[in-house]
């Protein structure tokens, strides 16, 4: 029986990934590593440690232990300076209806400062649990973020549903034993085929979620 819904933030609740990607591109450019926004979309959902590891290794480099905090700081500065993220149309009203019947959580790979700022501004008093990339030791695709969210909601994995938009997030949810519904926000549908259900767009997602109430 479904009792809880766990949402990814960027690309599901917020149209924000272009600003995250821009910030990562600028941060890595400072050390001579050149990537594109699409490189970031492909690994969306990983926390900052995971992103630093993946990008450094693709460049044939090994990050220094001090790089993780340095990159987190620089990326956050770029994001907050240029962020124009907006919530997806109709999502707040949908969540307000869902909250009457289900426990709601978010599990994001972004850092706590950014996640809390976005939720406080656009989705106040909606979520019982907020998990950021800094609240887990292993980010997506590891199951820890979604298992942690379910646990903090007081629910079993099989009592939850995850809403995702990225391959690493889908893998995280499925590894946690949680049903996953996906929406192709920044990547084509074929990148999301491991989800239990792939909807065409946010309008279809909101229609589906509204049908759960």
């Amino acid at each position: 029986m479904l009792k809880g819904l766990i949402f990814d933030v960027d690309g599901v609740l917020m149209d924000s990934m272009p600003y995250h990607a821009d910030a990562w591109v600028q941060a890595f450019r400072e050390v001579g590593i050149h990537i594109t926004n699409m490189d970031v979309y492909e690994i969306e959902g990983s926390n900052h440690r995971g992103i630093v590891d993946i990008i450094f290794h693709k460049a044939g480099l090994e990050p220094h232990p001090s790089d993780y905090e340095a990159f987190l700081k620089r990326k956050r500065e770029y994001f907050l300076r240029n962020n124009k993220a907006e919530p997806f149309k109709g999502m707040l009203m949908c969540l307000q209806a869902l909250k009457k019947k289900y426990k709601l959580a978010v599990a994001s790979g972004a850092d706590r400062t950014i996640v809390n700022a976005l939720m406080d501004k656009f989705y106040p008093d909606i979520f019982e649990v907020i998990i950021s990339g800094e609240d887990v030791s292993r980010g997506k695709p590891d199951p820890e973020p979604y298992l942690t969210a379910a646990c903090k909601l007081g629910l079993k994995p099989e009592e939850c549903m995850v809403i995702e938009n990225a391959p690493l997030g889908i893998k995280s949810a499925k590894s946690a034993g949680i049903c996953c519904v996906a929406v192709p926000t920044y990547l084509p549908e074929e990148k999301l085929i491991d989800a239990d259900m792939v909807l065409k767009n946010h309008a279809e997602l909101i229609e589906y979620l509204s049908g759960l109430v």
Side-chain angles (χ1 to χ4, degrees), residues 91-109:
M91 188 60 76
L92 176 59
M93 189 176 297
C94 178
L95 290 172
Q96 289 169 335
L98 288 168
K99 186 174 173 65
K100 297 175 182 178
K101 185 175 180 180
Y102 302 101
K103 293 185 174 184
L104 303 182
V106 297
S108 173

Side-chain angles (χ1 to χ4, degrees), residues 10-12 14-15 44 88 164-165 183-187 192 202:
D10 302 301
V12 173
M14 301 295 304
D15 189 4
E44 178 188 345
F88 286 100
E164 262 288 350
N165 75 302
V183 59
T185 314
Y186 309 112
L187 293 172
L192 311 179
H202 270 76

Side-chain angles (χ1 to χ4, degrees), residues 191-208:
K191 295 284 189 178
L192 311 179
I193 58 173
D194 290 334
D196 295 283
M197 180 186 298
V198 181
L199 302 172
K200 291 182 179 180
N201 50 44
H202 270 76
E204 192 169 295
L205 173 63
I206 289 172
E207 181 181 358
Y208 172 77

Side-chain angles (χ1 to χ4, degrees), residues 1 12 17 31 35 37 43 46-47 51 66 82 84 88 107 114 150 163 166 171 175 185-186 194 197 207:
M1 182 178 178
V12 173
M17 269 309 295
V31 296
I35 61 172
N37 282 33
I43 57 173
S46 182
N47 62 14
I51 290 177
S66 64
N82 301 306
K84 297 181 178 66
F88 286 100
I114 291 174
I163 296 84
K171 186 173 182 180
S175 297
T185 314
Y186 309 112
D194 290 334
M197 180 186 298
E207 181 181 358

Side-chain angles (χ1 to χ4, degrees), residues 23-150:
W24 280 118
V25 168
Q26 292 180 73
F28 282 110
R29 187 184 297 143
E30 290 184 355
V31 296
I33 297 176
H34 298 283
I35 61 172
T36 66
N37 282 33
M38 187 56 69
D39 291 324
V40 180
Y41 296 156
E42 293 277 0
I43 57 173
E44 178 188 345
S46 182
N47 62 14
H48 77 281
R49 293 188 66 89
I51 290 177
V52 169
D53 280 335
I54 291 169
I55 299 300
F56 263 74
H57 292 162
K58 280 187 175 181
L61 301 170
E62 191 69 32
H64 187 273
S66 64
D67 285 329
Y68 298 106
E69 190 62 33
F71 270 94
L72 175 62
K73 181 180 179 181
R74 295 299 294 141
K75 183 264 179 178
R76 181 192 295 144
E77 288 174 355
Y78 282 127
F79 179 85
L80 294 175
R81 185 185 308 164
N82 301 306
N83 174 40
K84 297 181 178 66
E86 294 287 343
F88 286 100
K89 185 178 180 181
M91 188 60 76
L92 176 59
M93 189 176 297
C94 178
L95 290 172
Q96 289 169 335
L98 288 168
K99 186 174 173 65
K100 297 175 182 178
K101 185 175 180 180
Y102 302 101
K103 293 185 174 184
L104 303 182
V106 297
S108 173
D111 74 87
R112 189 181 301 113
T113 299
I114 291 174
V115 175
N116 287 344
L118 292 173
M119 295 303 97
D120 288 345
K121 182 175 181 179
F122 297 108
Y123 295 102
D125 304 317
I126 293 293
F127 297 101
E128 295 182 35
V129 170
I130 296 177
I131 303 298
S132 73
E134 294 169 88
D135 296 320
V136 295
S137 57
R138 297 176 302 279
K140 303 172 189 177
D142 192 274
E144 184 181 353
Y146 284 120
L147 288 175
T148 301

